[in-house]
Structure formats: C-alpha cells, structure tokens
Amino acid sequence: MIRVDRIWRVIAVLLGMVILAGLFLFFGPGMTLMIVLSGSMAPLMLPGDAIVVAPADPDRLEIGDVVVFQYPGEDERMVITHRIVGIDTDTGLYSTRGDANNAPDRFFTSKDDIIGRPVFLIPFVGFASEMKKQIILLMVILPSLMLALLETRRLARGSHSARLLSRESPVPKGQIFSIRYPRLFLLLSVVLAISLLLIMPSLSGIQTYSPTAGSPDLQGQHLTIEGRGLIPELYLVCTPGEQGTPAYGVVQSGETVTVPVAGTDPDFTVARAPYILPAFWFVGLAGVNPYLPVLSLAVLPGALLTLALHPLWAKEKFVKSRRRRRLVERVLEN
C-alpha cells in the first residue's frame, strides 16, 4: 500500500529537479535557446523546434558538425544553423550546407561568426515563441520551483514530528493506494505488445555490413532501404557520409530509398526506428548505439502510458478506524 500524499510529494520533488535541470540548461553560462524558422535542416530540425545552443571552440570543429553561426553579411540579426561540409586549412573558413539543400551555401563562414553547436532539441516549442522568456520565468518556472521546494522541506522534517502531531490532534482519514497486480500485469503486457508491434519491423531491419566472407562489400556503392513498419521510419547509416553529412532520412511504409555509401569505414550498421522520436534525438542515440533508439521506444512510452493509466491498476482506499490508520502509518513509515 502506498500513501497518496507521499506520491504527490515525490512527484513534486521530481518536478523540481526537472525544473532546476532546465534552468541550468537554458540559463547556464553561454547557453542560448533559439527557434528553428526554416526547413533547411529537415528532418533533423523542423520549423517550430527549439534548440539549445552551447558555446563551441571553432578550432575543434570538424566536417560533419552542425553549427549555429552569424550570417556573414550586413544583416547581423540573421542566424543560421547548417552543417560543416568543408574546411579551408589555409584561410580557416568553413563551407556549410543545410541537410535539405542540394548545394552548399554561396558564402563562407569564419571562426568569428561561430556562435555554438546545438546540443538538445525540444519539438514544437517554437510555436509558442510569442511568450516572452520573462513571462515564462515569472508565471511558470518560479511558482513551480517554489512549490517543489516547499514539498522538499516537508519531506525533510522526518516522520517523528508527523507521528507526534498525529497523536496530539485528531487523525484524519488516511487515503492510500492499493495496487491491483493482475490489472497492472495485464496492462503492462498490452503496452509491451503494442510497443513490440511498432518496433519489431525496425528492429529486424537493423543490419551490419562487413567485408567478410559471404557479406557484400558495399563500400563506394549504394544501399537500398525499404520501409517495413506500419508507420514511417527513420534510418541512419552509421558511417561517414558524403562531405561529412550522415546518410539519414525518413522512409515511408512500403517505400524504397537508395542511399550512397561513401564512408571510409568498412564496417557500418544501418540504424532504424519508428518516426516517433524527433530526428535530432534519433541521430544522437543511434550515434551511441544503433539499437538504442528502438530500445528507448520499447521502454519509455510504455512506462509513461502505464503511469498515466494508474486509475486502472491503483485503487484508492480510505482507512476510517483510528487504530487501523495508525497501524497503516507505521507500516508505511517502516
């Protein structure tokens, strides 16, 4: 059995931690929140997405990095987010291009124009860009942070003072949660089955190519990717692409796309996942491990859906007897 008020206090503390992490992320030293206005980097970044830009050392930038830079022209207010496709070692200038564009930019970017690199993406936040940052800070973040701190203070008082207070004053009706384990296991089974139904085509489509015996050497050739899932899929060829641009994109169900393989690594893997995650998250997770995007989709949505449907497997109970309430309190405290 779980006490209801403790659940809400834990949720408040977790919410406070998330808010603090967001404050550190968005208002940390050098961090900048920007809104994507064009589709030149689609599908990695879509119009309306918000990106968190962190400072970057221009001397450590490489071909293939996505950078945010000032437009090297008269309009100093224009900021562009494109990928580096070339570096002139003599002049130190960068050649850039949007992933959705067919040709590089007609201008070159210097080190002084580099603002930083996008490190995180928040989808669709830009549609509410009319709200000022000060209004969000004063009306949403600070009140939520104050409530979380108050709940943390209550938790820090300990159980001893709570027991003394309950003995001196009339004990209110105790409200607890009783978990219905058969319903919980049934709900988890259904959610897991739905998740597996969505990710299995993508999971079976993840392939590793190696120039070993019996495995075709696709170096310098083209790779055919076919959409297998019920919904569109994201794909990423985990090898350096042409001019540093990774070979990634969206393939529709039943559609076939041809991807050039132009890297220097003889062994590479094709990562795939249902187009539920933003492409920015998918590329980042697949860069760590090709199976990480599908595994995260198999666990996180199901866990969140199960928590959201807690009225189906958690039953509220009210303990009316004072003796039983105190017994329940002792059990919960221990």
Side-chain angles (χ1 to χ4, degrees):
M1 292 181 295
I2 306 174
R3 188 189 291 270
V4 176
D5 55 353
R6 291 188 178 181
I7 294 179
W8 288 113
R9 289 179 182 180
V10 172
I11 293 176
V13 172
L14 294 177
L15 180 61
M17 295 174 62
V18 172
I19 294 174
L20 288 176
L23 288 174
F24 176 77
L25 182 64
F26 295 148
F27 300 97
M31 293 290 184
T32 307
L33 185 66
M34 297 185 177
I35 307 299
V36 179
L37 300 178
S38 68
S40 61
M41 287 296 293
L44 188 68
M45 303 174 186
L46 301 178
D49 292 344
I51 56 174
V52 180
V53 181
D57 185 2
D59 295 329
R60 296 185 178 182
L61 294 176
E62 301 177 352
I63 295 178
D65 292 339
V66 179
V67 294
V68 180
F69 56 91
Q70 199 84 33
Y71 178 72
E74 298 179 357
D75 190 357
E76 298 180 354
R77 297 172 299 176
M78 186 175 181
V79 177
I80 301 175
T81 303
H82 278 179
R83 191 182 301 274
I84 297 177
V85 295
I87 301 178
D88 192 332
T89 55
D90 297 330
T91 61
L93 297 178
Y94 303 100
S95 176
T96 56
R97 186 187 68 181
D99 290 356
N101 297 340
N102 297 325
D105 299 330
R106 292 178 293 180
F107 52 82
F108 293 93
T109 306
S110 65
K111 295 181 179 180
D112 297 334
D113 296 327
I114 300 295
I115 297 176
R117 296 181 56 185
V119 295
F120 192 71
L121 181 141
I122 310 174
F124 310 124
V125 172
F127 293 116
S129 60
E130 294 81 4
M131 299 178 63
K132 299 295 183 180
K133 185 184 297 185
Q134 293 81 0
I135 298 178
I136 298 176
L137 178 64
L138 294 177
M139 302 297 293
V140 178
I141 297 179
L142 290 183
S144 301
L145 187 60
M146 290 289 292
L147 291 176
L149 292 177
L150 290 176
E151 292 296 337
T152 306
R153 182 182 177 184
R154 291 182 182 179
L155 287 177
R157 291 179 179 178
S159 60
H160 180 68
S161 59
R163 287 198 300 266
L164 292 178
L165 182 61
S166 63
R167 292 175 183 177
E168 296 175 357
S169 60
V171 183
K173 294 181 179 180
Q175 185 181 3
I176 58 176
F177 269 144
S178 177
I179 299 178
R180 301 173 178 176
Y181 290 101
R183 291 190 178 185
L184 177 59
F185 293 151
L186 178 61
L187 180 61
L188 287 175
S189 301
V190 173
V191 171
L192 181 60
I194 295 176
S195 300
L196 291 177
L197 183 63
L198 291 177
I199 69 170
M200 277 305 296
S202 300
L203 186 61
S204 61
I206 299 178
Q207 298 180 2
T208 299
Y209 295 86
S210 175
T212 58
S215 177
D217 184 6
L218 298 177
Q219 193 70 20
Q221 301 178 10
H222 290 78
L223 178 66
T224 301
I225 299 177
E226 181 181 358
R228 300 182 177 183
L230 300 176
I231 61 177
E233 293 178 276
L234 288 166
Y235 67 86
L236 171 68
V237 181
C238 300
T239 183
E242 183 181 0
Q243 292 183 328
T245 302
Y248 74 98
V250 180
V251 56
Q252 301 294 329
S253 178
E255 182 186 3
T256 301
V257 296
T258 303
V259 181
V261 182
T264 58
D265 190 358
D267 301 328
F268 64 90
T269 302
V270 179
R272 304 170 65 138
Y275 194 10
I276 301 176
L277 289 173
F280 188 92
W281 297 2
F282 167 76
V283 172
L285 292 174
V288 177
N289 188 288
Y291 292 90
L292 194 56
V294 291
L295 293 180
S296 61
L297 286 177
V299 176
L300 294 181
L304 294 177
L305 183 60
T306 303
L307 290 176
L309 297 177
H310 71 274
L312 298 178
W313 52 267
K315 180 181 179 181
E316 294 184 1
K317 288 185 176 181
F318 296 89
V319 182
K320 298 180 180 180
S321 173
R322 177 175 299 183
R323 182 179 299 177
R324 292 186 61 186
R325 286 201 301 270
R326 290 180 177 177
L327 179 60
V328 170
E329 288 177 356
R330 293 176 183 176
V331 173
L332 292 175
E333 290 170 359
N334 295 330

